[in-house]
Amino acid sequence: MSGSDSRSFGLNLPEYPWEAMAPYVRQASEHPDGAVNLSIGTPVDPTPDFIQEALAGAADAPGYPTTHGTLELRRAIADWFARRRGVPDLDPQDIMPTVGSKELVAWLPLLLGLREGDVVVRPTVAYPTYDMGAVLAGATPVAADDLEDLDAQTRSRVRLVWVNSPGNPTGIVRGADSLAKLVRQARALGAVVASDECYAELGWGEWDTARGGQPVPSVLDPRVSGGSSDSLLAVYSLSKQSNLAGYRAAFVAGDSAIMANLVNSRKHAGMIVPAPVQSAMQAALSEDGHVAVQKDKYRSRRELLVPALEAFGLRIEASDAGLYLWATAGEDTWTTVERFAALGIVVGPGVIYGEAGSGFIRVALTGSDERIAAAARRVTAAAG
């Protein structure tokens, strides 16, 4: 190819949505007591020592790891599903580690063989990567929380349905009956249901098991699945519950035939979780105490922020689980974002999660105790 060839290379994707936050990040950074960034929900607390030790202990790894993951890891995941998610007797063969959950979200439509003309349904307020995954496969993303809301022609083209419970950014939790209805609808259409469940251990109120609440249900829960994993995939990440975002440690489990195909496809594509990370995952999933300790930290931060935000004139909606508070001041999203930036606080704009997020902001609980306390003081003082 000559240097004068006018063809361009690269994917024609929209700008990464968080780039729009740059001026507000700059404004917040000018605060005399420093910025408090509560926009992107990246964990800030230390990775537990025993997980770090498991990683280091597996550091001598000269050979290639397997795409499917070690049997020991997959057994640990199956045991965790039975112990924490109400999913008994999950076959380790139907489980696979992934390089974080975002990677799977982005590539699942392509790996499922979706193509132009196929429809991927995602929640009305949702993580942008669901749409990007559809676009990468050439499929069409459609926003809906109930398949009955779609017209007959669109329903006939649905091949993949994403459910996100607890939801990011809203914190909405779908109960077992709601999930079971969606599963029945999707199966009637011959579609796969992929359930992104990475905030499941972080329920609040009626979903806070440490305070007498009930566990957040999984799509593989027999009450939801009818006792069969056919056409169902559960996606989970250890980033939130174990502070492993930097490890890119996640997994997917479900339908036997789909899982076998995913394992084969990912072998061809070289999508493999490093061996030391697999060992760290096994350790993390075999010990529940550190999850409870981390949840206590987030609960304390949440209880500090909620009254401060409400005093500042925000109404908090849903936010029943997860690491975020979904709130509105009844004004344009960017007006609210700017008001927080003036206080040296960076919050997430609801508009990047779809049209239904207009007017909302997302406030993350992922600041240190000191930074969360600073934000609460500033907001309370500004409220008068």
Side-chain angles (χ1 to χ4, degrees):
M1 183 179 69
S2 70
S4 62
D5 195 308
S6 62
R7 292 179 300 168
S8 61
F9 293 90
L11 299 175
N12 184 24
L13 299 178
E15 184 178 51
Y16 193 63
W18 285 101
E19 297 301 323
M21 286 297 298
Y24 302 99
V25 172
R26 286 194 297 271
Q27 182 181 3
S29 69
E30 296 170 359
H31 192 278
D33 293 323
V36 180
N37 194 332
L38 304 180
S39 59
I40 298 177
T42 185
V44 299
D45 299 304
T47 300
D49 289 343
F50 78 97
I51 300 177
Q52 296 187 47
E53 290 165 4
L55 182 81
D60 184 13
Y64 290 111
T66 64
T67 298
H68 200 179
T70 66
L71 179 59
E72 293 79 12
L73 171 58
R74 289 183 279 120
R75 283 175 173 164
I77 294 171
D79 290 345
W80 176 85
F81 264 110
R83 189 174 70 250
R84 304 296 303 176
R85 306 306 315 282
V87 182
D89 305 320
L90 189 59
D91 189 339
Q93 191 70 14
D94 300 336
I95 298 169
M96 176 176 55
T98 64
V99 190
S101 59
K102 183 173 182 177
E103 168 258 297
L104 184 74
V105 171
W107 294 107
L108 184 61
L110 181 67
L111 294 176
L112 290 177
L114 271 60
R115 56 184 64 87
E116 185 176 355
D118 293 333
V119 166
V120 175
V121 177
R122 52 85 166 170
T124 52
V125 182
Y127 185 48
T129 308
Y130 301 129
D131 281 355
M132 287 301 99
V135 170
L136 289 169
T140 301
V142 173
D145 295 317
D146 189 317
L147 299 185
E148 292 177 358
D149 294 338
L150 303 175
D151 61 74
Q153 198 276 336
T154 301
R155 273 201 305 274
S156 69
R157 297 163 51 209
V158 173
R159 297 283 289 155
L160 173 62
V161 181
W162 278 107
V163 60
N164 181 207
S165 175
N168 172 19
T170 62
I172 289 173
V173 175
R174 296 183 70 145
D177 290 344
S178 173
L179 287 173
K181 177 185 176 183
L182 184 67
V183 167
R184 289 193 299 270
Q185 291 174 334
R187 282 174 168 166
L189 298 175
V192 172
V193 177
S195 181
D196 184 351
E197 305 176 351
C198 68
Y199 299 96
E201 290 273 19
L202 296 170
W204 313 117
E206 67 174 302
W207 303 106
D208 190 348
T209 54
R211 299 291 175 89
Q214 59 181 310
V216 172
S218 170
V219 76
L220 298 180
D221 185 314
R223 297 173 297 164
V224 176
S225 68
S228 168
S229 63
D230 289 353
S231 74
L232 305 180
L233 296 173
V235 181
Y236 199 79
S237 167
L238 300 186
S239 295
K240 320 304 181 188
Q241 72 170 47
S242 300
N243 296 332
L244 291 184
Y247 285 46
R248 311 313 299 132
F251 52 86
V252 58
D255 183 295
S256 297
I258 293 175
M259 287 299 303
N261 187 272
L262 286 176
V263 170
N264 183 61
S265 297
R266 292 169 68 87
K267 286 178 180 178
H268 285 290
M271 295 177 174
I272 308 172
V273 176
V277 174
Q278 292 191 38
S279 294
M281 290 175 66
Q282 181 182 339
L285 288 163
S286 301
E287 201 280 334
D288 299 329
H290 75 286
V291 181
V293 169
Q294 186 60 45
K295 184 174 180 178
D296 286 343
K297 293 180 181 180
Y298 285 133
R299 187 189 294 104
S300 296
R301 293 164 185 170
R302 187 177 188 275
E303 291 173 350
L304 196 60
L305 279 176
V306 166
L309 296 177
E310 290 177 336
F312 196 55
L314 273 75
R315 183 181 76 254
I316 296 171
E317 291 194 1
S319 307
D320 300 316
L323 293 180
Y324 312 107
L325 297 170
W326 183 241
T328 179
E331 61 192 8
D332 177 76
T333 289
W334 295 108
T335 298
T336 310
V337 169
E338 195 282 330
R339 288 203 293 129
F340 274 89
L343 299 176
I345 302 169
V346 186
V347 297
V351 291
I352 73 171
Y353 301 100
E355 292 181 10
S358 179
F360 285 83
I361 61 167
R362 190 191 77 171
V363 184
L365 307 178
T366 51
S368 67
D369 289 344
E370 183 275 327
R371 288 288 82 189
I372 293 287
R377 285 196 303 271
R378 293 178 195 179
V379 171
T380 301

